[in-house]
Amino acid sequence: MFDWDENNLRKIRRIGSSPRKWSSGLSEQSDPDLTEQDVQGEPRYVYYCETDSERLLAVVLTERGDRIRIVTAYDLDAGQKKDYLARRLRRE
């Protein structure tokens, strides 16, 4: 179950997306490209993924109890895109 509030909804809308797209995209992501961060003692996971329209994005989320909270999402920068595409090619 995903946890949404006005703060993270605003961030998702800012990049032209919706909670439904993120929820289904992350649920269907069979082989996510994942890194882990620690932010003030809370583990956060960064998923690099590609949308149906081939947009490359990073989704930052954390687990809080039995809920998944999307903290933010943003377009990958040039270095992140290069890294993501190289890792994806190695898996194919």
Side-chain angles (χ1 to χ4, degrees), residues 11-53:
K11 292 175 185 177
I12 298 300
R13 284 191 300 263
R14 185 176 54 214
I15 64 164
S17 194
S18 70
R20 185 179 55 76
K21 286 183 182 179
W22 287 109
S23 299
S24 65
L26 287 171
S27 297
E28 295 170 8
Q29 187 84 17
S30 60
D31 190 16
D33 200 4
L34 169 72
T35 58
E36 187 173 342
Q37 303 173 340
D38 182 70
V39 178
Q40 297 178 343
E42 179 178 65
R44 296 206 176 162
Y45 306 94
V46 182
Y47 285 85
Y48 288 180
C49 55
E50 187 171 349
T51 67
D52 290 339
S53 61

Side-chain angles (χ1 to χ4, degrees), residues 3 7 10 13 18-19 24-26 30 33 40 46 48-49 57 60 62 67 71-72 75 78 80 84 86 91:
D3 179 24
N7 191 37
R10 183 181 67 252
R13 284 191 300 263
S18 70
S24 65
L26 287 171
S30 60
D33 200 4
Q40 297 178 343
V46 182
Y48 288 180
C49 55
L57 299 169
V60 181
T62 190
R67 301 181 74 77
V71 177
T72 193
D75 289 293
Q80 291 168 321
Y84 170 75
R91 285 194 303 261

Side-chain angles (χ1 to χ4, degrees), residues 6 18 87:
E6 189 53 41
S18 70
R87 285 188 274 176

